[in-house]
Amino acid sequence: MDIPPLAGKIAALSLGALPLSYVLSHVSALSHPLGLALMSALILGLLFVTIYNLSPGEIYYDPLYAVFAVFSFTSVVDLLIALQEDGYVVGFMDFYNKEGEPYLRTAHGIFICYWDGTVHYLLYLAMAGAIRRRKRYRNLGLYWLGSFIMTILVFLPGNILGKYSSEVRPTLFLAIPYVLVPCWAGMRIFNQSRAPTCCNPTMVQEEQRKGILRRPVDLALVIYLTLTGLFTFFRGLVVLDCPTDACFVYIYQYEPYLRDPVAYPKVQMLVYMFYVMPFYGLAAYALIFPGCSWLPDWALVFAGAVGQAQFSHMGASMHLRTPFTYRVPDDAWASFFGYNLLYALGPHLLAFRCLWWPAFFLRPPPGPLAHHKKEH
């Protein structure tokens, strides 16, 4: 995808977070959590007003333009937080990490900031540019939606349930729009028209006549989804303190990070168990039986969700901020990296398969093929 012209303007506006965060880090009034929360809300409000004055046409065309522009600014802030915590920059976000959201100083918090400051940031620029050029961005939006919702589903409960629950500050209330906006954005994105396909009714019927054994790629995906669903269920049992020997060996010898008291890994495995595992079962059904037109959209949503989750989970499992006893053991590193990478790759392959050749998932035309030909 070529970079739309206005993506550069949004990028320039978002980079204003660099000098602003540096100046604010030296304002003594922000040493109080309430003052920090009020200042953050004021900055976001002023940013929205600025964007509205700069690009009213784009906002009237699609209000999500303002959302992507504001979120691109916060993505730069998140990237600064991660770089500050890893020691790559100094003097930018200490005030916020200490008084605003101390749980961002955890390994999980650092990696969700890296993801937001890179992957989400590029998606915001691409989607804002698409709005400027009046082009579709539905697929990018669905991927972002899944990724963003997964971040919220794990991060907020982890903050409340984990060892940082006693350090919840007023800035947590700023998460309210982060919960409401994806709901509204998701409805707008799903209501956008899909890109036209090159599949005519004859191609659709021919593809949907094929059984699963005649579609080796789909057969491999069904096997993958079945095995991954079982593995998801197993890891859910592990974090629920299942007393079996297999769970005991796994949590101590392969993924001790699941015992970390920050609670993020436990919440992550439960989200996998109660949301991702049922989707894998439904996706396997849709790969066997034709006409499940919902799968391409939801495959993109879950690809974004699992991609973000695995990036944060794998990174936090090996990061120095994670206590040594909860990090991946040296002798299990290869296997841990291998199956977690495969876990992240599978949903992306499923989404690619659905987008590359969607004929099997389209609704079949009414009537037999011969009748269709006779009418045309």
Side-chain angles (χ1 to χ4, degrees):
M1 176 183 294
D2 57 336
I3 299 177
L6 197 61
K9 184 186 293 185
I10 295 299
L13 184 63
S14 65
L15 292 178
L18 295 171
L20 182 62
S21 62
Y22 185 81
V23 170
L24 292 179
S25 65
H26 296 86
V27 178
S28 59
L30 295 181
S31 60
H32 192 278
L34 181 59
L36 179 59
L38 294 176
M39 180 60 71
S40 300
L42 177 62
I43 291 173
L44 292 178
L46 292 176
L47 182 63
F48 176 81
V49 172
T50 302
I51 295 167
Y52 181 83
N53 290 327
L54 288 176
S55 306
E58 283 69 36
I59 295 176
Y60 281 125
Y61 176 76
D62 190 339
L64 287 181
Y65 181 87
V67 173
F68 299 146
V70 172
F71 280 6
S72 67
F73 182 90
T74 60
S75 291
V76 175
V77 173
D78 282 344
L79 184 59
L80 285 174
I81 290 174
L83 294 174
Q84 173 86 18
E85 291 303 316
D86 277 343
Y88 295 111
V89 298
V90 179
F92 281 90
M93 299 302 299
D94 270 337
F95 71 101
Y96 191 83
N97 296 353
K98 292 177 181 178
E99 303 299 336
E101 298 186 77
Y103 22 83
L104 289 176
R105 309 184 79 177
T106 63
H108 182 85
I110 290 171
F111 273 90
I112 67 170
C113 286
Y114 274 127
W115 182 270
D116 188 52
T118 54
V119 176
H120 284 174
Y121 183 66
L122 294 175
L123 288 173
Y124 294 142
L125 295 184
M127 291 187 290
I131 293 173
R132 169 64 175 168
R133 301 180 66 181
R134 307 299 191 259
K135 291 184 177 295
R136 292 186 179 89
Y137 61 92
R138 193 172 188 271
N139 291 342
L140 292 176
L142 292 174
Y143 188 90
W144 164 78
L145 182 66
S147 175
F148 198 91
I149 289 177
M150 179 62 80
T151 304
I152 297 298
L153 284 177
V154 176
F155 190 60
L156 292 184
N159 297 340
I160 298 171
L161 299 174
K163 68 179 184 179
Y164 284 88
S165 58
S166 61
E167 298 190 37
V168 172
R169 308 293 171 81
T171 49
L172 185 66
F173 291 104
L174 294 176
I176 294 176
Y178 276 84
V179 175
L180 298 178
V181 167
C183 299
W184 170 64
M187 291 187 293
R188 292 190 63 90
I189 292 171
F190 269 103
N191 288 332
Q192 292 180 9
S193 61
R194 296 181 179 181
T197 66
C198 60
C199 304
N200 57 49
T202 302
M203 297 165 63
V204 171
Q205 288 195 347
E206 289 178 354
E207 185 68 17
Q208 294 186 355
R209 286 196 189 104
K210 297 178 181 178
I212 187 66
L213 296 179
R214 295 177 59 194
R215 294 178 282 117
V217 173
D218 291 352
L219 178 61
L221 285 172
V222 168
I223 295 173
Y224 166 84
L225 292 170
T226 303
L227 296 177
T228 307
L230 294 174
F231 181 62
T232 302
F233 182 70
F234 172 73
R235 288 207 291 188
L237 293 179
V238 168
V239 299
L240 290 174
D241 297 326
C242 177
T244 62
D245 292 340
C247 293
F248 181 85
V249 170
Y250 183 82
I251 200 171
Y252 279 93
Q253 296 187 11
Y254 292 94
E255 283 201 64
Y257 178 59
L258 298 179
R259 299 186 293 115
D260 194 324
V262 294
Y264 300 120
K266 295 181 178 64
V267 175
Q268 183 67 78
M269 295 305 114
L270 293 178
V271 170
Y272 277 159
M273 186 178 183
F274 291 112
Y275 293 96
V276 177
M277 187 179 70
F279 168 74
Y280 284 164
L282 294 172
Y285 172 89
L287 288 168
I288 297 173
F289 300 97
C292 296
S293 58
W294 51 266
L295 181 59
D297 290 346
W298 285 102
L300 275 170
V301 172
F302 277 87
V306 175
Q308 186 281 329
Q310 286 298 103
F311 176 83
S312 301
H313 179 71
M314 294 172 66
S317 298
M318 298 178 286
H319 196 267
L320 294 178
R321 285 290 174 89
T322 299
F324 180 78
T325 54
Y326 301 130
R327 289 182 221 157
V328 179
D330 292 338
D331 57 349
W333 190 89
S335 58
F336 166 84
F337 190 83
Y339 60 69
N340 275 285
L341 185 62
L342 186 62
Y343 196 99
L345 185 62
H348 290 79
L349 294 177
L350 174 64
F352 180 78
R353 182 264 177 270
C354 294
L355 295 176
W356 184 257
W357 187 243
F360 187 79
F361 310 108
L362 298 178
R363 293 179 181 177
L369 181 61
H371 178 69
H372 178 81
K373 287 184 175 179
K374 184 180 297 184
E375 289 183 348
H376 295 274

